[in-house]
């Protein structure tokens, strides 16, 4: 079985992170490490998480999103989400993240903010 990976795209000072089908403790360490490097090497003032493929998220996934939110808020930046399905939306709502991070249906809408 192939390991699910993340992909990234930079759009000026915006970092778009495309998340895999499952965001759990097995792959959150990689996400944390890779985004730490990207944020250290580039001026990023907004992170946009693409959850269009994500069907499952555990507390590690919530922790990574919350950590990036706090990091961006601390430097005057922001975090937005797009493509959130019903199951992940419920997880975000229960975890309290849906009130912190604006959620959009499309990538284009998330990038306009």
């Amino acid at each position: 079985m192939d390991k699910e990976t993340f992909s990234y795209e930079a759009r000026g000072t915006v970092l778009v992170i495309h998340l895999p089908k499952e965001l759990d403790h097995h792959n959150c360490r990689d996400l944390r490490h890779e985004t730490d490097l990207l944020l250290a090497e580039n001026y990023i003032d907004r992170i946009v998480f693409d959850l269009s493929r994500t069907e499952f998220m555990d507390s590690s996934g919530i922790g990574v999103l919350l950590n990036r939110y706090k990091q961006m808020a601390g430097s005057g930046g922001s975090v937005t989400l797009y493509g959130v399905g019903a199951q992940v939306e419920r997880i975000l709502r229960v975890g309290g993240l849906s009130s912190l991070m604006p959620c959009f249906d499309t990538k284009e809408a998330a990038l306009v903010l």
Side-chain angles (χ1 to χ4, degrees):
M1 176 182 248
D2 289 335
K3 180 180 169 186
E4 291 189 71
T5 59
F6 306 93
S7 62
Y8 306 90
E9 66 182 279
R11 292 187 170 218
T13 61
V14 178
L15 176 63
V16 180
I17 303 173
H18 305 281
L19 300 177
K21 183 177 179 178
E22 295 185 0
L23 188 59
D24 58 21
H25 70 280
H26 294 292
N27 57 21
C28 280
R29 182 179 23 182
D30 292 339
L31 175 61
R32 220 176 274 116
H33 176 73
E34 292 170 11
T35 56
D36 280 345
L37 291 174
L38 288 165
L39 293 171
E41 295 173 354
N42 302 283
Y43 177 74
I44 302 295
D45 65 4
R46 185 157 42 114
I47 297 175
V48 176
F49 285 102
D50 168 10
L51 290 123
S52 61
R53 296 183 305 170
T54 307
E55 297 176 3
F56 173 80
M57 179 185 305
D58 69 6
S59 60
S60 298
I62 292 171
V64 169
L65 294 179
L66 186 58
N67 178 275
R68 294 305 169 216
Y69 169 81
K70 288 179 179 179
Q71 186 176 17
M72 286 288 102
S75 63
S78 64
V79 173
T80 57
L81 314 172
Y82 78 90
V84 178
Q87 183 160 337
V88 171
E89 193 277 327
R90 188 169 14 124
I91 293 166
L92 295 173
R93 190 174 62 251
V94 169
L97 299 182
S98 59
S99 63
L100 298 174
M101 303 173 202
C103 187
F104 299 91
D105 292 332
T106 66
K107 178 180 179 179
E108 292 74 22
L111 289 171
V112 169
L113 180 67

